[in-house]
Amino acid sequence: RDAQESRGLGDVYKRQFLLLTFIGITAGLCAGTASSSMVMDTTDEHRLKTGQAQEGAFYGAVSFSGKASSALGHLIGGVIIDLIKFPLGSDVIPGSVDEEIIWNLGFYFGPTVAILPVIAIYIVATKYNISRAKHDDILKELQKETAENSIESS
């Protein structure tokens, strides 16, 4: 009887897992596309303000920040693993880890994984101020400057 009930519940969990995986992948693709566009818009604004095209420096900074945040994530994960005294090594048998350690793993990782993206979203939402109209104005100014420079160089 328990096997039948757990099989049904397992199917529910599988469907939820697939749905959440689909939502996560879709959100990741949207965030990646939006962030690339935001960096490009920022480089346009920078070029208008300074007259220098530095797209490479901006994308280099984005690449570095991705690597740094990955390293920070590994550091935080390692600290949490040490704090909860998660057993390490090849002698650990699946199912033998104490329930309190498993609970602590979820307790510390859950909020950490939930809070850090919220902080990132807050920073972007409060610091990024290029609207579509503002970006259109920036592009018009850049086109005007490019036209003026090509006339002067002729």
Side-chain angles (χ1 to χ4, degrees):
R1 181 169 186 240
D2 290 334
Q4 288 288 7
E5 288 177 15
S6 70
R7 185 177 310 145
L9 192 55
D11 290 342
V12 170
Y13 287 144
K14 286 177 190 174
R15 286 192 296 265
Q16 287 177 345
F17 175 76
L18 290 174
L19 176 65
L20 291 175
T21 300
F22 175 77
I23 291 170
I25 289 171
T26 303
L29 290 171
C30 291
T33 302
S35 64
S36 293
S37 295
M38 292 168 72
V39 172
M40 200 64 214
D41 295 349
T42 304
T43 62
D44 289 340
E45 182 181 48
H46 177 75
R47 182 175 179 188
L48 181 64
K49 287 180 178 179
T50 66
Q52 298 176 337
Q54 296 183 325
E55 289 88 353
F58 277 84
Y59 280 100
V62 168
S63 177
F64 173 76
S65 67
K67 292 172 192 280
S69 65
S70 178
L72 182 63
H74 287 94
L75 175 69
I76 291 170
V79 168
I80 291 173
I81 294 274
D82 284 346
L83 283 176
I84 65 171
K85 297 180 178 31
F86 196 88
L88 304 173
S90 60
D91 57 335
V92 178
I93 301 168
S96 68
V97 178
D98 185 31
E99 285 187 24
E100 183 179 354
I101 292 174
I102 299 295
W103 191 91
N104 286 336
L105 184 67
F107 179 77
Y108 289 109
F109 271 110
T112 303
V113 170
I115 290 171
L116 292 178
V118 170
I119 293 169
I121 290 168
Y122 173 78
I123 291 169
V124 169
T126 58
K127 301 294 182 190
Y128 181 79
N129 61 359
I130 300 176
S131 66
R132 180 172 291 196
K134 183 177 179 179
H135 187 248
D136 288 342
D137 292 342
I138 290 169
L139 289 178
K140 287 176 189 171
E141 285 295 318
L142 286 173
Q143 288 172 348
K144 194 184 306 181
E145 286 181 10
T146 302
E148 289 171 2
N149 289 340
S150 66
I151 291 171
E152 290 174 6
S153 64
S154 298

